[in-house]
Amino acid sequence: MDTGRRIPFDLYTHCGITEAWIGSTYFDAEAPLSDGSGNPPEGWDNPFQRGTMTLASETEAVFTDDAGHEVKFRAQPRTSPSKPLCA
């Protein structure tokens, strides 16, 4: 993984902001975001939010966008999502 690199990124938000798949690694949001009903919070696009993912290190990534959102993610030692997809 090329740390320090910024890449265009469409963050999946439909079930809330909980995790991201970057390259071959799953990352969990440090502080998951939701409207309390399994949707993204107000002000987020649904089902994706377009922005930039910055690979801060091998285990840390940060999503930002033009709306001012910022979400920090930490790498997880698994090869599949931790949560089932919502309906």
Side-chain angles (χ1 to χ4, degrees):
M1 196 174 298
D2 189 9
T3 61
R5 188 171 149 221
R6 293 171 43 108
I7 55 173
F9 197 84
D10 290 335
L11 181 65
Y12 185 68
T13 61
H14 181 66
C15 303
I17 295 95
T18 60
E19 58 190 16
W21 174 254
I22 305 168
S24 61
T25 305
Y26 270 97
F27 286 74
D28 281 338
E30 285 186 357
L33 301 171
S34 157
D35 68 353
S37 297
N39 299 301
E42 187 174 326
W44 287 80
D45 290 339
N46 188 351
F48 292 95
Q49 182 78 31
R50 177 161 285 167
T52 302
M53 191 68 79
T54 302
L55 304 172
S57 73
E58 292 288 326
T59 59
E60 298 176 354
V62 180
F63 175 85
T64 57
D65 63 21
D66 290 341
H69 300 121
E70 179 179 291
V71 181
K72 294 179 182 179
F73 291 88
R74 295 228 178 247
Q76 297 302 313
R78 62 179 194 274
T79 58
S80 62
S82 62
K83 299 159 198 75
L85 291 177
C86 64

